[in-house]
């Protein structure tokens, strides 16, 4: 009987995570990745979350090019999901922080065993529901804008009266469409991380 291979050393990454119970608040912490799982402390609580409880990994952009930033959502069977961000708690984007974030993702995927990879869902972009919400919101905003523009072009309404609602409304609709395009949902293979969703170092 061959001896078991020696356990690999743990890897530490100083990154920004979402605080429990808060969508907007971020806090810095040290994520410790080992063969057993991910260990970290947040809001005074600490502990190891094993890979056996990991159900899905979702990587998505939080801002598009050229100022790329991203986050990864780790969804576990028990407890709240863990959100890890490539930017600092105050939203600053830096090459060094991006490198740490990408290194964390690569180390995390490298530690996953064959059974983990077969069980875990590897997703990219926003959820399908959020993607549909973005598209619907853009259509809801664009519809009256196009209607007003049609009235102005037909000469039924002076262009000066509709130009001010058209400009901000058009910009908002265009922004939502752009967000829907660069955050569309998908999947990826754990052996090859999606380049389009990784922040540039």
């Amino acid at each position: 009987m061959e001896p078991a291979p020696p356990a690999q050393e743990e890897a530490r990454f100083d990154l920004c995570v979402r605080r429990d119970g808060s969508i907007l608040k971020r806090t810095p912490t040290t994520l410790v990745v080992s063969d057993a799982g991910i260990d970290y402390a947040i809001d005074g609580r600490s502990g190891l979350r094993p890979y056996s409880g990991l159900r899905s990994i979702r990587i998505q952009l939080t801002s598009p090019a050229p100022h790329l930033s991203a986050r990864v959502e780790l969804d576990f069977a028990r407890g709240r999901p863990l959100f890890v961000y490539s930017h600092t708690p105050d939203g600053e984007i830096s090459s060094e922080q991006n490198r740490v974030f990408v290194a964390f993702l690569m180390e995390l995927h490298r530690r996953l065993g064959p059974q983990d990879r077969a069980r875990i869902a590897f997703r990219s972009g926003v959820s399908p529901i959020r993607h549909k919400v973005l598209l619907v919101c853009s259509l809801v905003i664009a519809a009256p804008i196009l209607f007003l523009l049609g009235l102005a072009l037909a000469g039924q309404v002076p262009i000066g009266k509709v130009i001010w609602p058209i400009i901000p409304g058009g910009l908002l609709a265009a922004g939502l469409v752009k967000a829907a395009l660069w955050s569309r949902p998908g999947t990826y293979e754990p052996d090859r991380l999606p380049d389009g969703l990784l922040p540039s170092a």
Side-chain angles (χ1 to χ4, degrees):
M1 184 175 181
E2 295 183 0
Q8 298 182 6
E9 294 183 0
E10 61 188 23
R12 295 175 173 267
F13 304 92
D14 294 327
L15 287 166
C16 169
V17 299
R18 178 190 293 183
R19 298 186 64 178
D20 287 347
S22 175
I23 297 178
L24 299 178
K25 291 184 178 180
R26 315 281 188 260
T27 185
T29 192
T30 298
L31 299 165
V32 182
V33 181
S34 66
D35 289 340
I38 305 174
D39 196 353
Y40 61 94
I42 180 173
D43 290 340
R45 297 183 298 103
S46 62
L48 177 71
R49 305 190 79 171
Y51 301 129
S52 59
L54 187 55
R55 297 190 302 185
S56 68
I57 300 176
R58 181 184 296 277
I59 305 174
Q60 67 180 87
L61 291 178
T62 54
S63 66
H67 305 292
L68 287 177
S69 64
R71 80 175 187 186
V72 58
E73 176 186 353
L74 307 178
D75 185 30
F76 293 87
R78 292 185 177 183
R80 293 175 176 172
L82 172 64
F83 293 88
V84 184
Y85 298 83
S86 66
H87 55 69
T88 62
D90 57 4
E92 180 183 353
I93 300 173
S94 68
S95 298
E96 177 60 29
Q97 198 72 4
N98 285 344
R99 281 193 291 268
V100 176
F101 179 80
V102 173
F104 165 73
L105 286 181
M106 295 180 67
E107 183 68 16
L108 169 64
H109 286 75
R110 187 179 68 84
R111 298 270 185 169
L112 297 175
Q115 293 183 345
D116 296 321
R117 295 182 177 219
R119 184 191 69 257
I120 296 172
F122 298 93
R123 302 184 174 117
S124 60
V126 299
S127 67
I129 294 178
R130 289 187 62 188
H131 190 254
K132 290 180 180 179
V133 169
L134 285 173
L135 292 176
V136 170
C137 288
S138 62
L139 290 175
V140 169
I141 296 174
I145 297 301
L146 294 175
F147 177 73
L148 289 176
L149 183 60
L151 291 179
L153 293 176
Q156 299 182 14
V157 178
I159 188 66
K161 289 186 177 181
V162 298
I163 191 65
W164 295 115
I166 285 179
I167 291 178
L171 291 175
L172 179 57
L176 290 174
V177 170
K178 184 178 180 180
L181 290 176
W182 57 255
S183 64
R184 59 185 179 274
T187 59
Y188 68 94
E189 295 296 328
D191 294 330
R192 183 182 179 87
L193 297 183
D195 293 334
L197 293 179
L198 297 180
S200 55

